[in-house]
Amino acid sequence: MQVKIAAKTKLPTPFGEFELIGFETESGQEHVALAMGSYTDGAPVLTRVHSECLTGDALFSQRCDCGPQLEAAMQKIADQGRGIIVYLRQEGRGIGLINKLRAYAEQDKGLDTVEANEILGFLPDARDYRVAAAMLEALSVAEIRLMTNNPDKVQSLTDAGIKVVERVPHQVAASPHNQHYLATKTKKFGHLL
């Protein structure tokens, strides 16, 4: 998979100033990376690969742990003064925003995340991390310390040529609204929570 850097700008945040880097894929998809400090010196870079979650990241939904995970990653990077967040535009485990809302409606009826996606005709998780690897390569990053609880993400990035030298646990506090979701991530996706 090939990507190109399409734009760069500064992004001041409550966690400090990041460089916001826009990427385009061959098929016209757009993704971004938030970078802080030096990351091209060859040392492993603290990295979070985060899939877009409009409901969690921007609308503060408590159905998931996405928003708090994004904020925690930004804080960890700010604390170290160095790191990258690869923000992938693959909403709803890759099924898109409207289908994600449809999956939420199925979850309201008692299904879990996996069952809801499958009843709608989708894979439990349709995300593709090859674009994340291509973005890191475009930034001259070959070795990372990956903030994740998802062993599949570690394997996918490794298979795509990124050396994951350490999995950094990235757990945030649960809420009464996302306990079933987190249990499903552990039981059906093998997340290390």
Side-chain angles (χ1 to χ4, degrees):
M1 173 161 299
Q2 296 206 348
V3 299
K4 68 175 182 178
I5 295 175
K8 291 184 180 183
T9 189
K10 295 177 183 177
L11 184 71
T13 75
F15 308 98
E17 186 172 280
F18 286 82
E19 180 181 27
L20 183 62
I21 307 159
F23 291 83
E24 292 178 341
T25 68
E26 298 166 309
S27 63
Q29 294 176 319
E30 299 173 334
H31 305 279
V32 297
L34 290 88
M36 181 179 281
S38 174
Y39 51 84
T40 59
D41 60 3
V45 181
L46 183 63
T47 302
R48 168 81 180 152
V49 175
H50 188 90
S51 295
E52 178 180 38
C53 177
L54 176 71
T55 52
D57 296 342
L59 302 177
F60 312 106
S61 170
Q62 293 185 351
R63 292 181 83 125
C64 62
D65 58 345
C66 301
Q69 281 191 345
L70 179 60
E71 290 180 23
M74 292 176 81
Q75 186 63 61
K76 285 180 184 177
I77 288 170
D79 289 347
Q80 290 201 1
R82 178 178 185 268
I84 297 173
I85 296 171
V86 175
Y87 193 90
L88 302 177
R89 307 289 309 279
Q90 46 188 12
E91 182 78 46
R93 295 191 179 279
I95 66 173
L97 179 60
I98 299 303
N99 286 321
K100 174 182 168 178
L101 300 181
R102 290 178 179 132
Y104 276 176
E106 295 298 328
Q107 291 170 39
D108 291 341
K109 298 174 188 173
L111 299 181
D112 66 29
T113 305
V114 170
E115 296 163 342
N117 279 16
E118 289 176 338
I119 204 165
L120 294 172
F122 298 104
L123 294 171
D125 192 341
R127 293 177 291 182
D128 183 350
Y129 297 110
R130 290 176 300 170
V131 69
M135 290 166 67
L136 289 167
E137 288 173 4
L139 295 172
S140 300
V141 173
E143 295 186 3
I144 62 173
R145 297 173 52 237
L146 185 63
M147 290 183 273
T148 189
N149 302 315
N150 183 351
D152 288 340
K153 192 180 291 184
V154 173
Q155 189 62 55
S156 293
L157 290 169
T158 300
D159 291 346
I162 299 298
K163 184 174 181 181
V164 180
V165 300
E166 178 186 4
R167 182 190 71 82
V168 179
H170 195 61
Q171 193 166 340
V172 296
S175 78
H177 303 285
N178 68 14
Q179 289 177 348
H180 182 65
Y181 169 78
L182 295 174
T184 300
K185 284 172 76 170
T186 300
K187 182 178 177 184
K188 294 191 175 181
F189 291 114
H191 285 212
L192 305 170
L193 299 173

